[in-house]
Amino acid sequence: MKPTVGIPRALLYYEFFPLWNTFLKSLGVSTCVSPCTNKRILANGLKNSVDEACLPIKLAMGHVIELCGKVDYIFLPRIVSVAPREYICPKFLGFPDMVRNAVPNVPKLIDANIDLYHPRSKAQKNLHEIGKLFCSNPMRINRAHKTACQSLISYKKLLQENILPEAAMEIMACKEIVFKNKHSKYDSNGPTIALIGHSYNIYDQHISMDIIGRLKKLGVNVVTAETLPEEIVRQGATILPKKLFWTLGQQSIGSAIHYLSDPAISGIILVSSFGCGPDALTGELIERYIHRTRTIPFLKLTLDEHTGEAGVITRLEAFLDMVYWKAG
Ligand code: SF4
């Protein structure tokens, strides 16, 4: 019987799921993704995490718990770096250990290192370690790696068409090209807002209180860091006097700076999580830069487990009033 690997719908899921899923499936493994975040998943995550953890880590814990008892393995790579000379937040590194300590009877964790910090490091080598768990044929693992990279490239192209991650994954699963063509970069004639924040905050409908869906319903176009090609985001981040070595911080700053110089953007919303050290710094840099360079409606939302929906809606409405007022 095929082994089943559980993939938590959390953290870098929205960035790398097509790569991981294609790789595992190409090796004959079944995959199972935890359901969309709901109250139970969040409550379990909060109950089983240390207080000091940020909200996305607590939520990821809830998703891991949701998979327990349903799968043979849980895919939880120890992500150190996803780009040369950059690091990912240290909480990603320690997360597999947090899970082992907090969750009794957790299935076997696939926690191989993903570390691309040194320019000569190869993602292939990192994935090879994982592949060896399920396949003894190195050629097959290499082929699985190539197919997985292609899948990630196709996924990123769909995101750049301004298709939301879950819809893009669905398109890839169904290979339904017609659906893709129905989506233009901008859905309505309304204003366009840049939504800046980590993918696991802005694309998780429960935790973000569906900011994207709410804005779209109000006739607003939404663009994000994922809508931009990586080179443009990196170019935006070069405005800093010193390179930021956090990949996620670079994404936020680079996309915010780019959108700030785009006259088609009518406002910027910055979403961060309570308890996030890197966001405290990058958020401040973005805010200062915005205030220094352009008078544009700006809203900063900090999410935590107690954030009330009514408060977020009121702030979004006030922000949009400002956007329309400014547009005259
Ligand atoms: S970057 Fe911030 S929100 Fe993301 S895992 Fe690290 S501390 Fe948490």
Side-chain angles (χ1 to χ4, degrees), residues 113-175:
N113 271 17
I114 305 282
D115 184 359
L116 303 183
Y117 181 84
H118 295 287
R120 284 210 213 123
S121 321
K122 293 271 182 283
Q124 195 173 358
K125 193 172 152 229
N126 293 175
L127 279 181
H128 225 94
E129 290 303 308
I130 297 171
K132 279 197 282 190
L133 286 171
F134 306 106
C135 174
S136 55
N137 180 347
M139 302 288 278
R140 190 171 173 203
I141 300 178
N142 279 346
R143 277 199 303 275
H145 175 250
K146 273 192 192 144
T147 320
C149 289
Q150 277 308 323
S151 175
L152 185 65
I153 292 170
S154 311
Y155 173 65
K156 298 258 169 184
K157 279 189 188 150
L158 290 173
L159 297 186
Q160 284 166 26
E161 295 277 326
N162 210 10
I163 294 172
L164 292 174
E166 298 284 6
M169 289 172 201
E170 220 171 282
I171 291 168
M172 292 183 65
C174 314
K175 300 195 173 34

Side-chain angles (χ1 to χ4, degrees), residues 70-275:
K70 298 176 189 151
V71 297
D72 305 307
Y73 296 85
I74 295 188
F75 189 77
L76 226 50
R78 195 179 294 277
I79 302 174
V80 180
S81 162
V82 292
R85 301 268 177 242
E86 288 173 17
Y87 284 113
I88 209 92
C89 167
K91 287 188 179 155
F92 284 83
L93 233 146
F95 187 56
D97 299 320
M98 283 173 67
V99 167
R100 268 199 193 90
N101 285 309
V103 187
N105 304 323
V106 67
K108 199 169 180 326
L109 299 185
I110 299 177
D111 64 345
N113 271 17
I114 305 282
D115 184 359
L116 303 183
Y117 181 84
H118 295 287
R120 284 210 213 123
S121 321
K122 293 271 182 283
Q124 195 173 358
K125 193 172 152 229
N126 293 175
L127 279 181
H128 225 94
E129 290 303 308
I130 297 171
K132 279 197 282 190
L133 286 171
F134 306 106
C135 174
S136 55
N137 180 347
M139 302 288 278
R140 190 171 173 203
I141 300 178
N142 279 346
R143 277 199 303 275
H145 175 250
K146 273 192 192 144
T147 320
C149 289
Q150 277 308 323
S151 175
L152 185 65
I153 292 170
S154 311
Y155 173 65
K156 298 258 169 184
K157 279 189 188 150
L158 290 173
L159 297 186
Q160 284 166 26
E161 295 277 326
N162 210 10
I163 294 172
L164 292 174
E166 298 284 6
M169 289 172 201
E170 220 171 282
I171 291 168
M172 292 183 65
C174 314
K175 300 195 173 34
E176 218 203 283
I177 306 301
V178 186
F179 179 71
K180 175 191 160 189
N181 292 340
K182 279 187 196 154
H183 286 69
S184 63
K185 190 138 187 155
Y186 298 119
D187 298 330
S188 86
N189 293 326
T192 301
I193 301 297
L195 182 65
I196 309 295
H198 303 314
S199 57
Y200 42 82
N201 283 332
I202 62 175
Y203 297 124
D204 185 307
Q205 287 189 3
H206 185 84
I207 217 69
S208 70
M209 278 160 272
D210 195 19
I211 293 179
I212 296 181
R214 286 178 197 280
L215 288 169
K216 288 194 170 193
K217 268 189 211 140
L218 293 166
V220 172
N221 298 301
V222 182
V223 289
T224 64
E226 287 70 32
T227 321
L228 295 172
E230 196 182 326
E231 331 59 271
I232 291 188
V233 174
R234 289 193 175 278
Q235 177 60 33
T238 56
I239 196 124
L240 296 174
K242 189 170 176 232
K243 185 184 171 191
L244 204 66
F245 51 80
W246 294 314
T247 301
L248 300 182
Q250 282 227 34
Q251 277 173 357
S252 298
I253 291 191
S255 52
I257 300 298
H258 172 81
Y259 285 130
L260 199 56
S261 63
D262 181 349
I265 301 297
S266 308
I268 296 181
I269 301 178
L270 177 64
V271 176
S272 61
S273 338
F274 184 75

